[in-house]
Amino acid sequence: MSEEEGPLVRYEVADGVATVTMHRPRYRNAQNAKLTYALDDAYLKAINDDAVKVIILAGEGKHFSAGHDIGTPGRDIEGPFERRATNWYDHVDRPGAEGIFVREQELFLGMCRRWREIPKPTIARVHGACVAGALMLAWCCDLIVASDDAFFADPVVRMGIPGVEYFAHPFEMNPRIAKEFLFLGERMSAQRAHEVGMINRVFPRPELEEKTADMAQRISKMPRFALALTKKAINQAEDRMGLRDTIDATYGLHHLAHAHSALTKTDHIGGMDAKKMAKSLKGES
Ligand code: ZN
């Protein structure tokens, strides 16, 4: 049986905490449109369940996620999609830059912003790889915890693109570190990610689940509405510091890059695929 036949996202609730687990382990949880909407379904379930106070996002298998699907058999880049996060029209038959602009606005940028506004605390529980598009899934959570073997990377400059769509890099780390992170496109260890302030805690791999559950439990004892208001207060502050405007401004550059690559190379990601990208990350630390 192909793993694609099972649910792409697993959902469990225990003691007031919902755990949402991406489930494409064979493809390192690469994010296609189907997985995106399955994630959104799971988040909606958690929002609507009064018994849920805190949400944990995790990945099944060896890695949290390898990012956007750029080459598995389940890649669904040509297909239609629902419009939940935006009011864009269907993109499928749109030529030139239009189709990809619309698709990424909904599936990547729109969805991440929608998830950032979930009115309950969210915790990304990262192990193994958290690469490119996966950073966006983690960054739009409120807290990020990681095992000591986790690593983070945004290698998309190799594709000719100035970073992933949800361009929070200069907010997740200071601007000079963000330049290093992007210019080199190398792995950043969990330890360094902690030192630069991108993640909250680093735990030994065998303790990751238990320590994350403990943290979620402690948060879940707080009053629901106060948690929602606190989250909103800090998100509003980040937007006033420029997060929202930075992402909007960079989205234009991002699509200039996609269009440039499509005009000068074989496709909008500069002819790169999952294999070439994985190879480029090997041996770097
Ligand atoms: Zn893109």
Side-chain angles (χ1 to χ4, degrees):
M1 190 182 90
S2 153
E3 61 91 21
E4 299 289 336
E5 289 168 36
L8 294 174
V9 168
R10 305 273 160 101
Y11 181 81
E12 296 161 273
V13 178
D15 303 324
V17 178
T19 303
V20 173
T21 308
M22 295 177 276
H23 204 275
R24 294 189 80 199
R26 188 167 159 199
Y27 302 111
R28 299 192 294 165
N29 299 316
Q31 185 192 345
N32 57 14
K34 275 199 199 84
L35 175 64
T36 305
Y37 289 106
L39 271 178
D40 195 59
D41 289 339
Y43 281 144
L44 278 175
K45 220 188 264 187
I47 292 167
N48 291 326
D49 183 350
D50 248 4
V52 171
K53 298 283 294 291
V54 181
I55 303 163
I56 294 171
L57 173 66
E60 181 68 32
K62 287 189 186 154
H63 301 281
F64 176 74
S65 169
H68 297 147
D69 189 340
I70 54 170
T72 82
R75 191 187 193 200
D76 48 9
I77 189 171
E78 307 291 341
F81 50 75
E82 294 173 59
R83 270 79 69 203
R84 288 193 201 174
T86 65
N87 292 322
W88 280 100
Y89 41 71
D90 193 5
H91 70 306
V92 169
D93 59 350
R94 312 287 163 158
E98 189 176 8
I100 193 77
F101 185 91
V102 169
R103 183 175 186 275
E104 296 197 343
Q105 188 89 54
E106 161 70 23
L107 288 174
F108 301 157
L109 190 48
M111 278 302 191
C112 285
R113 282 178 159 168
R114 175 173 158 91
W115 298 335
R116 179 173 175 257
E117 299 302 319
I118 289 169
K120 296 181 178 181
T122 52
I123 305 174
R125 190 182 76 202
V126 177
H127 70 290
C130 180
V131 175
L135 293 168
M136 302 165 43
L137 301 178
W139 287 349
C140 66
C141 289
D142 300 310
L143 306 180
I144 304 176
V145 299
S147 54
D148 50 8
D149 66 344
F151 64 90
F152 302 82
D154 188 350
V156 304
V157 174
R158 287 186 182 88
M159 297 175 167
I161 307 167
V164 291
E165 292 81 8
Y166 183 90
F167 193 79
H169 307 61
F171 292 83
E172 296 292 341
M173 55 200 101
N174 82 40
R176 201 171 306 284
I177 305 281
K179 285 177 183 166
E180 177 191 341
F181 188 63
L182 284 162
F183 288 175
L184 291 169
E186 293 174 355
R187 295 178 178 200
M188 178 185 274
S189 67
Q191 194 51 49
R192 181 132 199 259
H194 185 254
E195 283 161 14
V196 304
M198 192 212 296
I199 67 177
N200 297 87
R201 303 282 170 94
V202 183
F203 300 124
R205 175 71 178 264
E207 295 169 25
L208 178 65
E209 273 189 43
E210 188 195 328
K211 300 273 190 196
T212 311
D214 176 61
M215 208 172 182
Q217 276 303 319
R218 285 185 282 138
I219 295 170
S220 76
K221 304 287 182 283
M222 293 291 191
R224 175 193 318 276
F225 191 42
L227 285 170
L229 295 178
T230 304
K231 172 168 182 163
K232 194 152 191 61
I234 295 179
N235 282 2
Q236 285 175 173
E238 265 188 308
D239 285 340
R240 276 159 185 75
M241 288 187 255
L243 175 62
R244 194 173 180 87
D245 291 346
T246 299
I247 291 174
D248 280 336
T250 309
Y251 193 71
L253 299 178
H254 183 96
H255 280 274
L256 168 64
H258 276 322
H260 180 70
S261 288
L263 284 166
T264 58
K265 307 236 171 99
T266 52
D267 59 25
H268 73 286
I269 53 173
M272 295 299 277
D273 59 23
K275 227 178 230 169
K276 285 183 200 159
M277 290 305 283
K279 205 173 160 200
S280 75
L281 273 175
K282 268 197 188 127
E284 294 164 349
S285 59

